[in-house]
């Protein structure tokens, strides 16, 4: 009887941790503005939602749409808007981290094709705990 109870507790514990993991990090609303003319760089914006109880860290991003991708922040330095690479982005439990124009963004460098309105391209975000999360980016005009 004691053994049976022990196994039940173990299984229940595994179920709870598996559910928490699945509910942890979600990537929503990914979009890019169309790239003008012969521009070779672009930006992607999105939201990262952490419904889990643990912090996670976005380490990097991959996409077939560009030769290289970086995490960037936009900073206002004495009235001049400048971009700075971010080595990682922390996502606190319960937090929604916004990547939006004028703020954090995914920088696409060396576009493999122009970003045309209505197109979609894949983006994979790599987290310390959640691992790889794939999303699809919609190319559309800023609202
Ligand atoms: Cu940038």
């Amino acid at each position: 009887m004691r053994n049976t109870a022990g196994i039940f507790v173990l299984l229940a514990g595994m179920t709870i941790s598996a559910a928490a993991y699945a509910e942890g990090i979600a990537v929503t609303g990914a979009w890019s503005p169309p790239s003008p003319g012969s521009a070779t760089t672009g930006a992607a914006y999105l939201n990262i939602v952490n419904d889990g109880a643990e912090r996670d860290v976005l380490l990097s991003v991959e996409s077939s749409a560009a030769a290289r991708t970086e995490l960037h922040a936009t900073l206002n330095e004495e009235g001049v808007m400048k971009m700075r690479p971010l080595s990682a982005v922390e996502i606190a439990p319960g937090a929604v981290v916004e990547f939006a124009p004028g703020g954090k963004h995914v920088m696409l460098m060396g576009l493999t094709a122009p970003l045309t309105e209505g197109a979609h391209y894949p983006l994979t975000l790599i987290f310390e705990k959640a691992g790889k999360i794939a999303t699809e980016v919609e190319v559309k005009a800023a609202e």
Side-chain angles (χ1 to χ4, degrees):
M1 188 62 198
R2 191 175 296 157
N3 281 348
T4 309
I7 288 165
F8 175 76
V9 168
L10 179 65
L11 289 174
M14 287 170 69
T15 305
I16 289 163
S17 63
Y21 180 78
E23 288 166 6
I25 298 287
V27 178
T28 63
W31 68 282
S32 277
S35 58
S38 57
T40 56
T41 59
Y45 306 108
L46 45 85
N47 292 320
I48 301 170
V49 183
N50 186 354
D51 283 335
E54 292 181 60
R55 73 189 271 279
D56 208 339
V57 180
L58 174 61
L59 300 171
S60 61
V61 178
E62 294 173 348
S63 179
S64 56
R68 204 151 59 90
T69 56
E70 290 184 358
L71 299 169
H72 279 187
T74 308
L75 303 171
N76 186 333
E77 288 182 0
E78 296 170 1
V80 181
M81 301 302 274
K82 291 181 177 175
M83 297 193 297
R84 290 278 180 271
L86 296 166
S87 57
V89 177
E90 182 174 332
I91 321 292
V96 178
V97 175
E98 288 189 2
F99 283 57
K104 290 186 196 57
H105 54 278
V106 176
M107 197 81 206
L108 304 164
M109 299 155 111
L111 290 174
T112 50
L115 302 176
T116 54
E117 194 159 355
H120 294 79
Y121 66 87
L123 191 70
T124 300
L125 292 83
I126 298 145
F127 294 90
E128 190 176 86
K129 292 200 182 77
K132 291 188 174 189
I133 297 181
T135 191
E136 197 176 53
V137 183
E138 181 185 4
V139 181
K140 61 178 186 178
E143 283 160 11

